[in-house]
Amino acid sequence: MKIDDRSKWKWQLSHRINSVNELTGNKPQIEKACSRFPMSVTPYYYSLIKRFDYSDPIYSMCIPNEKELIDYPFLKDDPLNEEHHTPVEGLVHRYPDRALVLLTSHCSVYCRHCTRKRVAGQKEYFIDENKFGKIIEYLKSHKEIHDVVISGGDPLTMETDKLEYFIRKIREIEHIDIIRIGTRVPVVLPMRIDDELTSMLKKYHPIWINTHFNHPQEITKESSEACIRLANAGIPLGNQTVLLRGINDDPEVMIQLCRMLVKIRVRPYYLFICDLVKGVEHFRTTVDKGIEIMEHLRGRLSGLAIPTFVVDAPNGGGKIPVLPEYILAHEEDKTVLRNYEGKVCEYPNPVI
Ligand SMILES: *Cc1c(COP(=O)(O)O)cnc(C)c1O
Ligand code: SF4
């Protein structure tokens, strides 16, 4: 191995760890756990592990756990019922003005907490031109769609020219204002964010990217530089964190994560409660825990660094924002509120 090969994204992809023999840890246990959902870890992401057991957040997010094998009736393959809102293969249309396009089932790392396990890593595929043609037809004939979210799998695992083809076709549709890309690549394969990619992306503005950092240990020199390169290409960056028990369900960890994100020019966008997808029971926590964390952030952290906490309604009701209760009473002539310290104040209704 040449020393600089590791810094190339294709080397990282072709050297992904996907068999138990290459791992450190309890091998028989992991072997058993692998039987259900695929494993794949980039050597880069693997190198961020500090302890080779589930007490390490990186290890826990990428190494299969026997607990994934336990079935609970309330955990589903498709917890958000995305299939129900799929008018053409590879497109989810749940909100009137937005559509989600799933271009590939391929990811560089298969996250143990992934919501889209029915897609991600299940027979790795990229959508073909014929199927994509149908997606484009749908988008063209639905003039109410202004925002297209490109996701998967992870779209940035595609070759640049292939991705460009898809983006160009979407950009040609006049009523589409925003193209967003949902990707975990800056976190798990940051070397993918190279000049070739950023020069391609910036031809199709407005492009927005939402990435997926869950823990401060993921913010490294490499991932910071990747985000800064994207920001320098004029791409606004947001972050979607999943609230995971034992990983980031701690107000101090969340403060640290959010603070570090704004420093690398990423704006915390959503904090999601863990969806009811198979294999995640050991990661789930309560909505109250999320509210407690939100309560802790407000007042202690720059408003720019505070995400919106959302519950993506089971069975496909869409995202529901959840806030601590700041309104104490609605009275005829005023609203009674409290601030983050519990201090009560009143806002009078207008008199005319
Ligand atoms: C989350 C989501 C979107 C985007 O929602 P925003 O709140 O605008 O970020 C669009 N379509 C689907 C199906 C989604 O799940
Ligand atoms: S990168 Fe995203 S789609 Fe892929 S496994 Fe992780 S959470 Fe799922």
Side-chain angles (χ1 to χ4, degrees), residues 186 211 213 222-232 237 264 266:
T211 186
F213 284 92
E222 288 85 351
S223 61
S224 307
E225 285 172 1
C227 292
I228 289 166
R229 280 196 292 277
L230 288 169
N232 285 344
L237 297 168
I264 61 169
V266 179

Side-chain angles (χ1 to χ4, degrees), residues 175-319:
H175 56 270
I176 307 290
D177 303 329
I178 305 169
I179 297 177
R180 289 197 248 182
I181 300 173
T183 174
R184 193 148 151 79
V185 151
V187 187
V188 293
L189 185 68
M191 47 296 280
R192 170 67 183 106
I193 313 297
D194 54 13
D195 286 344
E196 181 196 64
L197 180 70
T198 53
S199 340
M200 182 280 278
L201 290 174
K202 70 184 188 195
K203 290 193 276 178
Y204 300 95
H205 274 313
I207 299 268
W208 296 61
I209 285 185
N210 270 335
T211 186
H212 177 176
F213 284 92
N214 289 329
H215 193 274
Q217 208 168 312
E218 295 176 324
I219 301 181
T220 62
K221 180 170 172 286
E222 288 85 351
S223 61
S224 307
E225 285 172 1
C227 292
I228 289 166
R229 280 196 292 277
L230 288 169
N232 285 344
I235 301 168
L237 297 168
N239 186 65
Q240 310 198 143
T241 296
V242 184
L243 182 60
L244 298 168
R245 198 207 305 169
I247 292 175
N248 59 18
D249 63 338
D250 172 319
E252 283 308 315
V253 171
M254 197 59 78
I255 281 211
Q256 206 193 341
L257 173 66
C258 293
R259 228 179 232 140
M260 288 169 91
L261 284 171
V262 285
K263 248 174 112 170
I264 61 169
R265 298 166 69 186
V266 179
R267 163 121 218 233
Y269 178 53
Y270 281 144
L271 170 64
F272 284 100
I273 197 98
C274 202
D275 290 329
L276 297 175
V277 67
K278 284 185 178 166
V280 300
E281 193 59 10
H282 57 295
F283 284 130
R284 292 203 312 121
T285 178
T286 58
V287 174
D288 283 351
K289 187 72 196 183
I291 293 173
E292 179 199 321
I293 290 175
M294 294 308 293
E295 178 81 57
H296 192 78
L297 300 187
R298 181 60 63 187
R300 288 183 182 80
L301 191 60
S302 159
L304 279 174
I306 300 182
T308 304
F309 177 43
V310 288
V311 176
D312 218 332
N315 289 317
K319 298 178 183 72

Side-chain angles (χ1 to χ4, degrees), residues 12-221:
Q12 288 282 335
L13 278 187
S14 60
H15 289 78
R16 289 185 300 167
I17 297 165
N18 42 30
S19 89
V20 175
N21 297 333
E22 303 162 76
L23 293 174
T24 308
N26 184 337
K27 289 190 193 184
Q29 201 186 41
I30 301 167
E31 178 87 63
K32 202 171 144 207
C34 275
S35 61
R36 184 124 191 225
F37 303 111
M39 170 178 74
S40 171
V41 190
T42 55
Y44 162 78
Y45 196 62
Y46 194 73
S47 77
L48 307 185
I49 297 173
K50 291 181 181 159
R51 289 179 307 272
F52 286 87
D53 61 54
Y54 298 107
S55 71
D56 183 277
I58 306 285
Y59 188 93
S60 180
M61 282 188 277
C62 68
I63 304 297
N65 185 322
E66 265 186 323
K67 293 177 183 155
E68 292 172 25
L69 304 175
I70 311 172
D71 265 318
Y72 300 89
F74 47 87
L75 299 183
K76 311 284 187 212
D77 287 319
D78 180 14
L80 306 176
N81 209 356
E82 291 186 328
E83 300 290 344
H84 180 71
H85 293 101
T86 295
V88 290
E89 191 182 333
L91 184 141
V92 184
H93 192 186
R94 179 191 294 140
Y95 301 105
D97 66 323
R98 280 153 282 171
L100 173 67
V101 176
L102 308 177
L103 288 184
T104 173
S105 69
H106 193 114
C107 299
S108 46
V109 168
Y110 290 115
C111 311
R112 305 331 294 170
H113 56 274
C114 179
T115 285
R116 231 172 259 133
K117 289 202 180 86
R118 70 175 202 288
V119 177
Q122 299 301 329
K123 192 158 79 52
E124 297 194 332
Y125 71 87
F126 299 106
I127 212 124
D128 62 34
E129 285 189 21
N130 179 34
K131 282 180 184 151
F132 187 66
K134 297 209 169 89
I135 292 176
I136 290 294
E137 268 171 45
Y138 185 90
L139 291 174
K140 277 189 179 153
S141 64
H142 286 261
K143 296 208 164 34
E144 71 278 17
I145 299 176
H146 296 292
D147 176 354
V148 173
V149 184
I150 299 176
S151 185
D154 197 322
L156 295 190
T157 56
M158 282 190 271
E159 297 280 348
T160 305
D161 54 351
K162 194 160 193 163
L163 180 64
E164 176 163 17
Y165 167 80
F166 292 131
I167 293 180
R168 184 169 9 95
K169 288 281 177 203
I170 297 172
R171 182 43 85 216
E172 279 166 10
I173 306 173
E174 229 169 80
H175 56 270
I176 307 290
D177 303 329
I178 305 169
I179 297 177
R180 289 197 248 182
I181 300 173
T183 174
R184 193 148 151 79
V185 151
V187 187
V188 293
L189 185 68
M191 47 296 280
R192 170 67 183 106
I193 313 297
D194 54 13
D195 286 344
E196 181 196 64
L197 180 70
T198 53
S199 340
M200 182 280 278
L201 290 174
K202 70 184 188 195
K203 290 193 276 178
Y204 300 95
H205 274 313
I207 299 268
W208 296 61
I209 285 185
N210 270 335
T211 186
H212 177 176
F213 284 92
N214 289 329
H215 193 274
Q217 208 168 312
E218 295 176 324
I219 301 181
T220 62
K221 180 170 172 286

